[in-house]
Amino acid sequence: MSLDGIAGLISVDRATREVTLGAGTRLRHIPALLAPYGLAMENLGDIDAQSVAGAVSTGTHGTGAAFRGIAAQIVGAVLVTGTGEVLRVDRDHNPELLPAVALGLGALGVLVEVTLRCVEAFDLRAIERPEPLGAVLGSLDERVEEADHFEFFWFPHTDIAMTKTNTRVPAGEARAPLSAARRWFDDSFVSNDVFGVLCRLGRALPAAVPRSTGPR
């Protein structure tokens, strides 16, 4: 079921930092919708293509031990049940159902509106670099505790990991975005095109996988 026709910002309560969105709103569009109000979602996953309904229903999470996933940000919703009833769930209406709505897998009905408690807008200062896998594993607990957001990806058949450390800073502070050309090279060409070719090569010639991942 596509909810693309039910998308966009419905209401904002700046005092409580609660915003209501059409359930079909794609995650990638939410930052721009909230920016005029100085608000942002508390935490997001890596993928921004889902609708907010899909992200809520499947328990999408991000990184950061101090920051909660989307389920913990839900303060209300409007659903259409299997019998066609419009069901409102929030602190004043059917509050006992709120935990189920926050991670319901569609069991209660189709989400139409979602109300989230947001946070003050922020930027991320990002550091991404390759590091020895042993060093990353040996200091993993400390890295998770010290960083706002930390994650790493291991390259099979190597002893190298790509680490990503993100630090929250006030919105607009020391912002130095990549150029359009560099974003295309990093996000589209390297992350998608080159990686896609390597994946297809690995499926066709499994013996080539160790060589394609680079030096040990």
Side-chain angles (χ1 to χ4, degrees), residues 1-2 8 15 18 29-30 38 46 68 86 95 107 131 136 144 192 194:
M1 177 180 293
S2 172
E18 293 178 3
H29 298 145
I30 294 178
D46 281 340
R68 307 171 303 168
V86 176
E131 298 185 53
V136 174
V144 170
N192 293 319
V194 174

Side-chain angles (χ1 to χ4, degrees), residues 9 58 62-64 80 87 99 105 109 138 149-150 162 186-187 192 199 210:
L9 185 62
T58 55
T63 57
V80 176
L87 178 64
L105 300 175
H149 304 277
F150 176 77
M162 177 62 75
D186 287 354
D187 296 337
N192 293 319
C199 288

Side-chain angles (χ1 to χ4, degrees), residues 155-201:
F155 296 96
H157 305 285
T158 77
D159 59 1
I160 298 297
M162 177 62 75
T163 64
K164 299 176 65 175
T165 303
N166 290 332
T167 302
R168 295 186 178 216
V169 298
E173 179 181 295
R175 187 178 295 181
L178 296 175
S179 67
R182 181 59 185 271
R183 286 201 306 273
W184 172 84
F185 182 81
D186 287 354
D187 296 337
S188 296
F189 181 68
V190 175
S191 299
N192 293 319
D193 297 339
V194 174
F195 184 68
V197 169
L198 291 176
C199 288
R200 290 192 292 272
L201 175 63

Side-chain angles (χ1 to χ4, degrees), residues 95-215:
E96 72 281 1
L97 295 179
L98 192 56
V101 170
L103 184 49
L105 300 175
L108 295 183
V110 177
L111 285 166
V112 177
E113 298 178 7
V114 174
T115 301
L116 304 164
R117 178 170 289 117
C118 295
V119 298
E120 297 297 320
F122 60 91
D123 287 342
L124 292 174
R125 181 179 293 121
I127 299 176
E128 301 183 14
R129 61 189 178 193
E131 298 185 53
L133 177 62
V136 174
L137 295 177
S139 61
L140 183 58
D141 290 343
E142 292 82 0
R143 291 172 186 246
V144 170
E145 182 177 349
E146 293 171 0
D148 287 335
H149 304 277
F150 176 77
E151 59 185 300
F152 73 94
F153 302 90
W154 169 59
F155 296 96
H157 305 285
T158 77
D159 59 1
I160 298 297
M162 177 62 75
T163 64
K164 299 176 65 175
T165 303
N166 290 332
T167 302
R168 295 186 178 216
V169 298
E173 179 181 295
R175 187 178 295 181
L178 296 175
S179 67
R182 181 59 185 271
R183 286 201 306 273
W184 172 84
F185 182 81
D186 287 354
D187 296 337
S188 296
F189 181 68
V190 175
S191 299
N192 293 319
D193 297 339
V194 174
F195 184 68
V197 169
L198 291 176
C199 288
R200 290 192 292 272
L201 175 63
R203 285 198 300 269
L205 298 170
V209 172
R211 289 180 177 272
S212 67
T213 55

Side-chain angles (χ1 to χ4, degrees), residues 5-118:
I6 311 175
L9 185 62
I10 296 173
S11 66
V12 177
D13 187 328
R14 190 63 183 80
T16 62
R17 298 199 296 262
E18 293 178 3
V19 304
T20 299
L21 298 157
T25 308
R26 299 289 167 174
L27 296 183
R28 60 173 167 261
H29 298 145
I30 294 178
L33 292 173
L34 300 186
Y37 304 95
L39 297 173
M41 291 183 65
E42 179 178 340
N43 207 349
L44 285 170
D46 281 340
I47 308 302
D48 65 0
Q50 309 105 305
S51 67
V52 67
V56 169
S57 298
T58 55
T60 291
H61 62 87
T63 57
F67 304 101
R68 307 171 303 168
I70 288 183
Q73 302 169 42
I74 301 298
V75 295
V78 176
L79 307 92
V80 176
T81 70
T83 61
E85 175 191 2
V86 176
L87 178 64
R88 182 174 296 276
V89 179
D90 55 34
R91 63 176 68 89
D92 299 318
H93 305 86
N94 306 299
E96 72 281 1
L97 295 179
L98 192 56
V101 170
L103 184 49
L105 300 175
L108 295 183
V110 177
L111 285 166
V112 177
E113 298 178 7
V114 174
T115 301
L116 304 164
R117 178 170 289 117
C118 295

